Amino acid sequence: MGILRLSHVVVRVPDIELATAYYSEVVGLIETAREPERVYMKCWDEHQHHSVVLEYAPTYGLERLGFKVEHDSDLDDLATRIEAAGIPTKRFEPGELGVGSGYTVQFVAPSGHTTELVWGMAQVGNLLPLTNPPPEPQGLVGIHPPRLDHIFLMCEDVDEITAFYTEVLGFRLTEQILADDGHQLVTFLERTHTPHDIAFITGPNGAFHHMAFWVDDWNEVRKAADICSYHGIPIDAGPTRHGATRGHGLYFFDPAGNRNEVYTGGYWTDPDREPVTWTEAEIGRAVFYYEGVVDHRFMTVHS
Ligand SMILES: [Fe+2]
């Protein structure tokens, strides 16, 4: 019951044709619909209409993010909880928020991010038949991740947003990086029994650090780095190992300056697992386990 997983990310881009070319040819997403100022895309193995929407704006950053809920009644239950926490909510009918959109509850989280809960988004199927499917469609280009994995956002008060996500939205804390004075610098939160569906790091409210696409193994991370280099895409960090989440990742930027990641690995987590804590002195290995230090750009550059 409740939130199933990250559903969609709406990203601002000033040059929608350039961004569409990048997300289709380098990342390898599938375009599912187009409006004059929006392009709808999905990863090949996702069944819902879109997981990434490129929206024209004179700047970059995150317009909004959405989580998919399991039942339509979850929308009412969660809206009641959000309202009880003093946060107003708005309701939208299918199609009101763009092509394929479902029944939606929208609110502004304490982190400043416009956030949605959605049920009933249009389903378009993955690119495989439901009977006797091969493991992967032919003809995919670029990195072609099978699905969107997680989103990493910034906000001024990580303790506050973590309490909101755990107490109101029902997320579980898997890991945290604590400052020496005890406040949370970074937190990792999940609904899918993976290390994180969303994470928060200290920074400006409303800021977008990165969105991550799942790839199936470490070799795919290496191939993603090859593809980025081939296309002249600036690599930010990696391929490397994260201490927190135990995953492997590679960071790079889209043409607008929004950070992308490809991510694999990590552990499976049961709901009764105790959170792991990293100390401020070990933040380098928590983020980049091999390098042991976090570079200034990674901690401060966002969109
Ligand atoms: Fe990440």
Side-chain angles (χ1 to χ4, degrees):
M1 295 287 281
I3 291 172
L4 283 175
R5 57 165 290 197
L6 188 60
S7 162
H8 58 275
V9 175
V10 182
V11 181
R12 300 180 194 128
V13 293
D15 184 337
I16 204 157
E17 290 304 327
L18 180 63
T20 302
Y22 163 83
Y23 280 101
S24 14
E25 290 164 31
V26 180
V27 182
L29 304 186
I30 313 296
E31 182 177 327
T32 55
R34 190 178 279 242
E35 293 174 317
E37 298 201 335
R38 276 192 207 133
V39 174
Y40 298 80
M41 313 189 90
K42 65 184 276 290
C43 300
W44 70 261
D45 202 23
E46 290 169 335
H47 290 258
Q48 63 176 34
H49 183 267
H50 55 264
S51 57
V52 174
V53 181
L54 308 176
E55 186 163 297
Y56 171 75
T59 182
Y60 58 5
L62 180 70
E63 182 63 23
R64 44 198 170 87
L65 72 151
F67 296 101
K68 175 181 179 178
V69 301
E70 186 170 7
H71 303 289
D72 56 353
S73 59
D74 292 329
L75 293 180
D76 293 330
D77 295 345
L78 286 161
T80 301
R81 296 169 67 95
I82 294 162
E83 296 266 354
I87 297 170
T89 63
K90 284 194 270 188
R91 303 294 288 253
F92 296 90
E93 296 291 307
E96 264 193 279
L97 287 170
V99 183
S101 67
Y103 293 93
T104 302
V105 170
Q106 190 184 77
F107 59 98
V108 179
S111 57
H113 299 94
T114 299
T115 307
E116 295 168 351
L117 307 172
V118 59
W119 181 83
M121 185 190 284
Q123 299 289 303
V124 295
N126 64 2
L127 296 182
L128 298 175
L130 292 175
T131 304
N132 306 331
E136 184 175 298
Q138 298 295 300
L140 299 174
V141 300
I143 299 166
H144 63 272
R147 63 182 166 84
L148 186 62
D149 187 77
H150 65 268
I151 188 168
F152 212 104
L153 304 177
M154 301 180 105
C155 68
E156 291 170 15
D157 192 337
V158 174
D159 290 88
E160 178 191 38
I161 193 65
T162 302
F164 174 77
Y165 264 75
T166 53
E167 291 162 20
V168 178
L169 299 183
F171 279 74
R172 294 171 287 267
L173 178 70
T174 56
E175 303 207 29
Q176 59 185 346
I177 304 175
L178 288 186
D180 292 339
D181 68 5
H183 79 267
Q184 291 172 315
L185 290 169
V186 186
T187 56
F188 300 81
L189 298 148
E190 66 86 13
R191 285 289 304 174
T192 56
H193 310 290
T194 63
H196 57 339
D197 298 298
I198 187 166
F200 287 95
I201 183 167
T202 309
N205 272 358
F208 179 33
H209 192 276
H210 67 266
M211 61 176 163
F213 299 98
W214 176 264
V215 291
D216 284 337
D217 58 35
W218 166 248
N219 206 40
E220 295 292 320
V221 178
R222 177 184 63 77
K223 282 165 62 179
D226 289 345
I227 291 164
C228 285
S229 287
Y230 177 83
H231 287 285
I233 302 303
I235 289 178
D236 182 41
T240 188
R241 158 85 84 172
H242 304 299
T245 80
R246 284 187 225 148
H248 288 99
L250 167 77
Y251 297 94
F252 44 99
F253 291 102
D254 77 8
N258 298 299
R259 190 186 276 103
N260 291 176
E261 180 187 14
V262 292
Y263 176 89
T264 192
Y267 45 77
W268 295 103
T269 176
D270 295 335
D272 59 355
R273 176 179 168 281
E274 289 289 315
V276 165
T277 296
W278 294 80
T279 58
E280 187 171 354
E282 289 293 329
I283 191 170
R285 291 203 296 173
V287 180
F288 297 136
Y289 193 72
Y290 300 150
E291 295 82 351
V293 288
V294 182
D295 69 52
H296 185 67
R297 181 176 60 199
F298 187 80
M299 295 301 274
T300 56
V301 171
H302 56 80
S303 60

